[in-house]
Amino acid sequence: MASAAEQLAANINFGSIAKAEELKKRIWFTLGALIVYRLGTYIPLPGIDPEALRQSFQSASGGVLGLFNMFSGGAVERMAIFALNIMPYISASIIIQLLTSVLPSLEALKKEGEAGRKILNQYTRYLTVLLAVFQSWGIAVGLQSSGTIVQNPGLFFLISTVITLTGGTMFLMWLGEQITSRGIGNGTSLIIFAGIVANLPTAIAGTLELGRQGAISTGLIIGVIVMAVAIIYFVVFMERAQRRLLINYPKRQVGNRLYEGQTSFLPLKLNTSGVIPPIFASSLLLLPATIASFQTSQGGTGIISMLTTYLGHGRPAYMFLYAALIVFFAFFYTAIVFNPQETADNLKKQGGFIPGIRPGERTAEFIDQVLTRITVLGAAYLVIICLIPELLVSYAALPFYFGGTSLLIVVSVTMDTVAQVHGHLLAHQYEGLVKKAKLKGSRRR
């Protein structure tokens, strides 16, 4: 697996990129779009007292707000116009995927090809607007109820906040689509990636400052560096890991010519679910802590506060539930994004078969068994990646940026981006070969 990654990196160099004019344009467009995104994370909402907001955020930064602040590149901490980031769009996409596997009408649209995909994308946009309006209204009400953050509370503030935050999310959704089509691809992932990476220097500087003050030992800082390097290597290895199923195609006759049978492979990723399980698990477990912090600020107590006591960072109950939720979402999301029955039907239509397995239902069962086994390994890999840094984040009071979720996102998006650049370079080289062949043909004539 490591050799494949090394080979991929070796094929990409600055000299080949400099010769690919189309790729350079895409890279510059992507960088420009990400700069626009970063500028938006510093434009605050109108009518907000920055100092009161900073004090209020510090008291709740250990909950889900701290996690969302990491994903938004600090926009939540500054309550900027991009505070919601792209998260409503991601949530809408996941909900539409869930409904596609449940509702026959949406499943039929998915099978219609490009036309059906466009309709599903439109449904995703509509749902994004609804989720953004709902979340921005909750943020506006929460800010106004704090008493000191909003300078001029009232209906005008509520409406303007909803319009601004919803508009910011829709702009980022459009920006992500533009990066995907006109840039180097993976627009949504790159926006989240840029938010995490932009604040990494600040997190590192803050950690070093804690070490200088004696709050964190030098040995712990060295251990964190070693752990980060080991996690990056482990993530690269596991994200490249595949289980390849051998597919045979029988001999076929076209006219008077007989073609030999062909073989190919059906690649099954070890981690099909990607970074979705850690994100969902973190959000669910940090939600009670955030609600309890709001209750405490308002002088209230209840069952939420009691749950927070047992579900604090580093507590056994928190670790157990975190691991259990990661495993659950790994299997759940894998079942949504990969359909063994559909894959088996496609192989049967194309005349392909797995050696020793009958086409059709038996093939679907075999693929499902293999997928279940490798998903066990994938889920265990996600649990290890997320729990080990979580111990350091909880016991040493390190920022979220050193957690397994953030490192997993950064490494995975980096690998996908390198693969996209490599694909564009291959396309450029292929176009060059075609032009040379045409030029030689014209000269011979």
Side-chain angles (χ1 to χ4, degrees):
M1 301 304 170
S3 60
E6 293 171 359
Q7 183 180 3
L8 181 64
N11 290 332
I12 297 178
N13 54 71
F14 290 105
S16 58
I17 292 177
K19 296 178 182 179
E21 294 295 331
E22 178 66 22
L23 179 58
K24 285 197 298 183
K25 292 179 182 179
R26 288 180 175 273
I27 292 176
W28 283 115
F29 179 85
T30 301
L31 292 176
L34 294 179
I35 290 174
V36 170
Y37 157 65
R38 288 302 301 161
L39 290 176
T41 60
Y42 286 91
I43 302 176
L45 290 173
I48 298 293
D49 185 353
E51 182 60 26
L53 175 64
R54 185 185 63 82
Q55 295 177 0
S56 178
F57 180 82
Q58 286 180 350
S59 63
S61 59
V64 73
L65 290 181
L67 185 66
F68 287 163
N69 186 60
M70 178 189 71
F71 290 145
S72 65
V76 174
E77 183 180 8
R78 294 181 287 270
M79 200 49 63
I81 60 175
F82 291 160
L84 289 181
N85 202 261
I86 204 75
M87 301 308 290
Y89 177 68
I90 295 176
S91 301
S93 301
I94 294 173
I95 292 173
I96 292 297
Q97 288 179 354
L98 289 172
L99 294 178
T100 301
S101 61
V102 175
L103 300 179
S105 57
L106 294 181
E107 187 176 1
L109 284 175
K110 183 180 178 181
K111 295 180 180 179
E112 288 182 4
E114 187 63 28
R117 201 174 300 114
K118 288 182 179 179
I119 297 176
L120 289 176
N121 289 338
Q122 199 65 23
Y123 289 162
T124 304
R125 295 187 183 98
Y126 294 150
L127 185 57
T128 301
V129 174
L130 292 178
L131 292 177
V133 169
F134 176 76
Q135 293 180 17
S136 58
W137 178 264
I139 290 175
V141 172
L143 291 174
Q144 188 167 267
S145 62
S146 64
T148 58
I149 297 179
V150 180
Q151 296 174 344
N152 297 307
L155 183 61
F156 178 78
F157 172 78
L158 295 175
I159 296 176
S160 63
T161 300
V162 170
I163 293 176
T164 303
L165 292 180
T166 303
T169 295
M170 300 309 295
F171 176 79
L172 288 182
M173 182 186 70
W174 174 83
L175 193 65
E177 293 175 351
Q178 295 303 308
I179 294 175
T180 302
S181 59
R182 301 174 59 184
I184 57 178
N186 298 325
T188 303
S189 300
L190 280 175
I191 288 176
I192 298 178
F193 168 85
I196 296 175
V197 171
N199 281 348
L200 266 178
T202 304
I204 294 174
T207 303
L208 294 178
E209 179 63 22
L210 290 176
R212 189 185 68 83
Q213 296 174 357
I216 298 179
S217 64
T218 304
L220 180 60
I221 295 178
I222 296 175
V224 169
I225 295 174
V226 173
M227 178 204 68
V229 174
I231 286 178
I232 291 172
Y233 180 84
F234 188 46
V235 169
V236 171
F237 180 84
M238 296 299 286
E239 290 297 322
R240 293 288 180 192
Q242 294 178 347
R243 171 70 161 90
R244 294 185 174 185
L245 299 181
L246 179 64
I247 306 296
N248 287 340
Y249 292 92
K251 297 180 180 180
R252 57 191 179 93
Q253 185 171 358
V254 180
N256 296 326
R257 194 167 184 178
L258 182 65
Y259 291 89
E260 290 292 333
Q262 298 178 346
T263 60
S264 64
F265 293 94
L266 175 65
L268 300 177
K269 285 192 64 176
L270 192 68
N271 180 29
T272 308
S273 57
V275 299
I276 297 298
I279 293 176
F280 274 31
S282 300
S283 301
L284 287 179
L285 286 178
L286 291 173
L287 191 59
T290 305
I291 297 176
S293 66
F294 288 137
Q295 283 188 348
T296 303
S297 63
Q298 296 173 1
T301 59
I303 189 173
I304 297 295
S305 299
M306 184 178 66
L307 285 175
T308 305
T309 305
Y310 294 100
L311 295 180
H313 278 298
R315 297 295 183 99
Y318 176 88
M319 293 299 183
F320 176 78
L321 288 178
Y322 190 37
L325 286 174
I326 289 176
V327 173
F328 170 76
F329 283 119
F331 278 92
F332 183 73
Y333 196 72
T334 300
I336 292 174
V337 299
F338 191 92
N339 189 345
Q341 185 62 52
E342 183 179 351
T343 304
D345 292 341
N346 292 334
L347 288 176
K348 188 176 182 180
K349 291 177 183 178
Q350 298 170 4
F353 64 93
I354 299 176
I357 307 296
R358 294 178 60 182
E361 190 66 30
R362 297 284 298 181
T363 298
E365 293 176 358
F366 177 76
I367 294 176
D368 184 63
Q369 290 176 0
V370 174
L371 188 64
T372 301
R373 291 172 182 173
I374 64 175
T375 304
V376 171
L377 297 177
Y381 143 70
L382 289 176
V383 169
I384 293 173
I385 286 293
C386 294
L387 283 192
I388 294 179
E390 184 66 32
L391 291 172
L392 291 176
V393 170
S394 58
Y395 285 113
L398 294 175
F400 279 104
Y401 300 91
F402 297 106
T405 303
S406 58
L407 291 177
L408 182 63
I409 292 174
V410 169
V411 176
S412 299
V413 174
T414 301
M415 293 172 62
D416 291 340
T417 303
V418 171
Q420 290 281 350
V421 173
H422 184 240
H424 286 296
L425 285 176
L426 289 178
H428 172 73
Q429 294 173 2
Y430 177 76
E431 290 176 359
L433 292 175
V434 171
K435 289 180 181 179
K436 289 181 180 179
K438 289 182 179 180
L439 184 60
K440 289 182 180 179
S442 62
R443 288 177 178 177
R444 289 176 181 176
R445 293 176 185 176

